[in-house]
Amino acid sequence: AERTRDEVELPPPAIDNRLTVHPLWPEIDRISTEQIQAAFEEVGGENGWQLFAEEGDMRMYRREVEVDGMVMDPLKAMHKVRGVSAREMCHYFFNPRYRYEWETTLETMTIVEQVSRDALVFHQTFKRIWPASQRDALFWSHVRASHANTYAVTNHSTTNPDYPPNAGACIRLFVTVCLACRSSWPAGEQPTRDNITTSIAYCSTVNPGGWAPAGVLRAVYKREYPKFLKRFTSYVVDQCRGKPLAI
Ligand code: 16C
């Protein structure tokens, strides 16, 4: 059968060989494995996770962590979305072609390196949060198939001599993000848009890289993380409507 452009670009079911020979591979493999495992761990209240946002099937937890007065609160969010697969979710999160359509914190995005079908390096600048300085980030992004019916994207800060930190107006922030998705459908049935459900675990830790007022920062993320997850998931549902389900 003829393959559409979308099918060719979907996250590959196995790791791309070009990635496994790249200098970043050992780090990408280790951090992705750790992040995916942590993403599916339950958030018991005893681990210090506090619920801060809840809407429908979406729940968001944070842990308050400050290092030298800088807020580095880890975030963990759970959600359930009907009618799209884990692979589709990760396709729209990973592929830069769609990013400006759902990512509202973004000012600019540059692809620094195209490592393989499943790994890219990005430089991004973000909208400025008054009264802090503007931030940028340089990170690799890797999408992979994991356990059964599971796909995940991991983003993690890196360095590149062509993009030195704190060179212009921006302060470099450091980020570790994982979007892990698992699809399920009724036993004995074939998966379809009508019976598939995808569970999402989104984990994020942002080190602001330099001073930013704690109160402002916490107020911004309490507003922005729920906005992101609701907007991103409904964007994917909209994009997939009427297209064949990609498992
Ligand atoms: O994961 C997300 N997006 C991915 C693709 O872009 C990628 C990005 C990660 C960067 C996350 C850091 C964003 C910092 C934004 C600072 C500016 C916010 C402007 C708000 C609008 C006025 O993995 C989705 C990311 C969703 C981000 C939600 C906002 C989190 C804020 C965290 C605090 C940042 C400290 C900034 C210090 C001034």
Side-chain angles (χ1 to χ4, degrees), residues 3 22-23 32 37 49 51-52 64 67-68 72 98 130 179 181 206 214-215 221 223 232 240 244:
R3 295 200 295 174
H22 190 276
S32 301
Q37 191 188 334
W49 290 102
L51 183 72
F52 74 91
E64 289 199 9
V67 180
D68 297 328
M72 301 195 193
Y98 311 107
W130 185 89
L179 177 86
C181 304
V206 177
Y221 82 61
R223 185 187 68 215
F232 173 69
C240 290

Side-chain angles (χ1 to χ4, degrees), residues 93 99 102-106 124 126-129 132-133 135 137 139 155 173 175 177 202 204 206 208 212 217 220-221 223-225 228:
F93 190 73
R99 191 153 309 161
W102 59 263
E103 175 64 280
T104 57
T105 67
L106 212 54
Q124 292 188 173
F126 302 98
K127 290 178 184 157
R128 182 169 171 241
I129 304 175
S133 308
R135 269 22 186 208
F139 60 90
N155 296 341
L173 61 72
V175 65
V177 159
Y202 174 84
S204 164
V206 177
L217 208 147
V220 169
Y221 82 61
R223 185 187 68 215
E224 295 297 325
Y225 280 128
F228 145 66

Side-chain angles (χ1 to χ4, degrees), residues 77-141:
M78 311 291 198
H79 201 3
K80 268 195 176 63
V81 181
R82 273 160 271 275
V84 297
S85 71
R87 194 181 186 197
E88 289 168 334
M89 273 287 166
C90 288
H91 170 61
Y92 289 100
F93 190 73
F94 173 76
N95 195 314
R97 178 144 45 98
Y98 311 107
R99 191 153 309 161
Y100 283 108
E101 292 174 26
W102 59 263
E103 175 64 280
T104 57
T105 67
L106 212 54
E107 196 144 283
T108 65
M109 175 190 70
T110 309
I111 300 171
V112 170
E113 191 181 347
Q114 201 139 17
V115 175
S116 52
R117 241 183 101 182
D118 50 3
L120 299 166
V121 178
F122 291 99
H123 178 258
Q124 292 188 173
T125 63
F126 302 98
K127 290 178 184 157
R128 182 169 171 241
I129 304 175
W130 185 89
S133 308
Q134 193 183 9
R135 269 22 186 208
D136 70 351
L138 183 73
F139 60 90
W140 54 253
S141 183

Side-chain angles (χ1 to χ4, degrees), residues 186-223:
E189 293 184 18
Q190 289 298 312
T192 68
R193 289 242 178 266
D194 295 325
N195 68 7
I196 196 165
T197 299
T198 293
S199 300
I200 299 174
Y202 174 84
C203 297
S204 164
T205 305
V206 177
N207 173 340
W211 180 83
V216 175
L217 208 147
R218 288 196 168 110
V220 169
Y221 82 61
K222 281 183 178 175
R223 185 187 68 215

